[in-house]
Amino acid sequence: MGFDMQPTFAGAAFAAAAVAGGAPLFSEGLRVLRLARGFAQLAEARLGEGPSGLVRTRGRVALASPQFGPLSGKPCAGFRLEVAIAGHGPTAVIEQRRVFRLTEGGATAQVLGHRGRWSVSVSARREVASKDPLPTGLEALLARSPEARWLRRAGANLVLTERALMAGSECHVVGQMRRGYPLEWPAEIERLKTGTDDVAEVASAGGTGVDRRLDVEPELWIDDGGHLDFLWISDRAPDPRELAPPWIRAVGLVLGPALSLGGLLYLANAVDFLHSVRRI
């Protein structure tokens, strides 16, 4: 006695979703496997050696454009401002990260830091009472977050914590290194006049306003590597346990094709069923 499953419209919809969802699951599993292989062979390399592929390197931070920490007021390549109520964890997080340069031993690399994952130590902390006035730039920065804006209006006493990657500080980077200019470099470059206000100056990178050669001068580039989608930036040496992605994501190598195949079989069965109905 055979088992004949009659397809339904809801089942066909789920099957189509399974076919579409199987590909990204498999892609994520493959990315995790490639990263695991890369990390197994990963050793620190000097920036001057100009290695290619997935690398771990370090150097000093040099700014490609001006930016300042919202609490410390010091020049930085990017910051994370955590807003919390005293005695509680962060309620709101405001991040601002940019492209910066890494220098070491006369070599320079451009780091596309706005794409990566940052792990930076605390650079400044400030307690703000409900009635304390704030600088205009900091007030505008908090206004970007609905949660921080609501806490401020509600009269809560806040604890602001800044985690900034300071100019001139040592920086560790794990990412994909290559030579040459990236094709995805934007046609327009947005530069904030300060690090904290909302007023931006937009200039063309091609011929007027900003000389393109000055912005893409370094021959070495470090980014997320496209298919690897991994860029880690920190002011301390990386911990292998912190770098490795969760192995649970590797199940996509099996689950993704299984979902797609199951969905295709269901849809094929649905097509056969429709043909059989038309013949009756």
Side-chain angles (χ1 to χ4, degrees):
M1 180 177 177
F3 178 74
D4 187 14
M5 181 178 62
Q6 182 174 335
T8 63
F9 287 108
F14 280 114
V19 172
L25 281 175
F26 176 77
S27 178
E28 176 63 15
L30 186 61
R31 186 184 76 89
V32 171
L33 181 61
R34 287 172 173 170
L35 282 176
R37 289 177 177 174
F39 291 152
Q41 304 172 358
L42 194 62
E44 184 172 325
R46 293 179 58 87
L47 192 61
E49 297 173 355
S52 60
L54 185 65
V55 300
R56 169 187 167 186
T57 188
R58 61 176 170 173
R60 295 287 173 179
V61 176
L63 303 184
S65 60
Q67 180 173 238
F68 302 92
L71 300 183
S72 63
K74 298 179 180 179
C76 63
F79 63 81
R80 172 188 173 100
L81 182 65
E82 300 173 352
V83 184
I85 302 176
H88 297 79
T91 303
V93 174
I94 304 169
E95 293 183 315
Q96 189 166 297
R97 304 176 299 186
R98 296 196 184 167
V99 175
F100 65 93
R101 293 178 180 178
L102 196 68
T103 62
E104 189 267 333
T108 303
Q110 196 90 335
V111 183
L112 304 189
H114 60 292
R115 299 180 181 179
R117 186 179 61 171
W118 292 44
S119 179
V120 184
S121 306
V122 174
S123 53
R125 182 178 280 111
R126 178 177 175 181
E127 296 186 7
V128 179
S130 58
K131 301 299 182 182
D132 287 350
L134 295 177
T136 304
L138 183 56
E139 194 73 63
L141 188 64
L142 293 177
R144 298 182 187 179
S145 169
E147 296 86 354
R149 187 167 59 247
W150 181 85
L151 289 174
R152 187 71 174 156
R153 290 176 179 175
N157 295 329
L158 303 179
V159 177
L160 306 180
T161 303
E162 173 194 287
R163 299 177 182 271
L165 185 61
M166 298 300 181
S169 63
E170 185 177 65
C171 177
H172 297 259
V173 178
V174 178
Q176 188 84 0
M177 182 180 288
R178 53 195 168 94
R179 291 183 177 272
Y181 306 146
L183 297 177
E184 64 272 15
W185 186 259
E188 290 185 337
I189 300 173
E190 181 180 82
R191 299 179 297 173
L192 295 180
K193 291 183 179 179
T194 70
T196 56
D197 62 12
D198 288 324
V199 182
E201 175 186 353
V202 179
S204 170
T208 60
V210 176
D211 186 350
R212 183 181 178 90
R213 292 171 299 175
L214 295 179
D215 287 280
V216 295
E217 179 183 357
E219 186 182 1
L220 295 175
W221 293 78
I222 306 177
D223 59 17
D224 55 6
H227 66 284
L228 287 179
D229 192 22
F230 186 88
L231 177 61
W232 186 86
I233 299 168
S234 181
D235 55 0
R236 53 184 172 78
D239 184 344
R241 294 172 298 179
E242 187 178 8
L243 294 179
W247 269 104
I248 188 63
R249 297 183 180 180
V251 301
L253 286 172
V254 177
L255 184 60
L259 279 175
S260 295
L261 180 59
L264 288 173
L265 290 175
Y266 188 95
L267 292 176
N269 182 56
V271 172
D272 290 340
F273 176 78
L274 290 177
H275 281 301
S276 64
V277 169
R278 288 181 179 180
R279 295 193 190 100
I280 298 176

